[in-house]
Amino acid sequence: DLRQPVAVIPNGVLLGSAPVPGYAVGAPVPHRPERLALFLSRVHPKKGILNLLNAWALAAPQGWRLQIAGPDEGLHLAEVMALARTLGIDHAVDYLGELAGEAKARAYLGADLFVLPTFSENFGVVVAEALAHGLPVITTRGAPWADLQTYGCGWWVDIGVDPLVHALREAMALSDDERRAMGARGRDYVRRYDWDDLARQTMDVYRWVLGQGPQPDCVRTD
């Protein structure tokens, strides 16, 4: 067997991004008629948006809107919006388009809940981004985010419609303060994915390899 030391350093997110005028992480929810649930990722069948729409129709949340953001791949958006019309929920579903930079940050900071009902992810950067922006997260066991439950900052549910219905109802039954507290716990938790810290870990690995420092904790030798 080949046995060599392996450095395990995760993907990361920017925690110190530039402030967005009129928005602040963890600020009280402004007075507005509706709360916002955000899906932000590729609009692709793999991401489970059809399951989300079916769950939304069954949960029938009052006073909530679903925002979908991300690039349309393979014309899946047409199928998504057609299902929304068939389910009679198109009045509560908005497509924001593909977002980047400040527009993307505004979407995160303006939302009350993040949902990624994916079938499969090797990491799911958008989950880390949502946590970094102070949002509680609902995602599936298709993504490696069991820590959402461990650290009390979200829901990690089985893939399918019924588990999403339960999670949506539970999340939306919370008060704004309770969701904001979950978001604060998520932001504290996700600091372990800060790019600045991960860059330092990478530098420590190279120093160790060059014989210029001790073995970092991220290096596994067993």
Side-chain angles (χ1 to χ4, degrees):
D1 293 341
L2 177 64
R3 292 187 174 275
Q4 295 292 336
V6 175
V8 181
I9 301 175
N11 276 317
V13 291
L14 292 172
L15 296 182
S17 55
V20 177
Y23 292 82
V25 175
V29 177
H31 177 72
R32 46 182 160 81
E34 294 175 305
R35 296 291 176 254
L36 302 176
L38 175 67
F39 165 95
L40 194 157
S41 190
R42 293 183 295 135
V43 180
H44 184 279
K46 171 187 172 184
K47 302 299 181 177
I49 312 174
L50 300 184
N51 278 353
L52 176 56
L53 292 181
N54 280 300
W56 191 276
L58 289 170
Q62 299 299 308
W64 282 79
R65 297 191 69 79
L66 173 61
Q67 294 185 322
I68 297 172
D72 179 17
E73 294 199 359
L75 302 178
H76 186 51
L77 178 63
E79 186 177 2
V80 168
M81 299 312 291
L83 178 60
R85 289 190 295 271
T86 298
L87 294 171
I89 60 172
D90 52 305
H91 64 282
V93 178
D94 303 312
Y95 176 59
L96 306 182
E98 184 174 359
L99 303 179
E102 186 173 304
K104 184 179 179 181
R106 285 180 183 274
Y108 280 126
L109 292 171
D112 303 277
L113 176 68
F114 185 80
V115 188
L116 181 70
T118 183
F119 284 97
S120 177
E121 302 289 329
N122 58 10
F123 181 63
V125 172
V126 291
V127 171
E129 289 179 349
L131 293 171
H133 286 86
L135 283 177
V137 172
I138 296 172
T139 194
T140 70
R141 285 176 166 79
W145 285 96
D147 280 353
L148 291 174
Q149 294 184 166
T150 303
Y151 290 87
C153 51
W155 294 260
W156 192 55
V157 303
D158 289 333
I159 296 170
V161 173
D162 288 344
L164 284 173
V165 172
H166 178 77
L168 287 170
R169 286 177 173 164
E170 192 170 290
M172 293 170 177
L174 298 176
S175 68
D176 292 334
D177 287 344
E178 288 171 325
R179 282 190 297 271
R180 190 160 58 249
M182 290 188 75
R185 291 194 293 270
R187 184 164 170 79
D188 287 341
Y189 160 76
V190 85
R191 291 185 189 282
R192 69 193 62 198
Y193 296 106
D194 186 351
W195 273 125
D196 290 342
D197 182 58
L198 300 184
R200 284 191 290 271
Q201 289 185 45
T202 304
M203 291 172 64
D204 289 345
V205 170
Y206 280 108
R207 290 192 184 100
W208 173 65
V209 169
L210 294 171
Q212 298 175 2
Q215 177 181 317
D217 292 338
C218 63
V219 173
R220 298 178 183 177
T221 57
D222 53 8

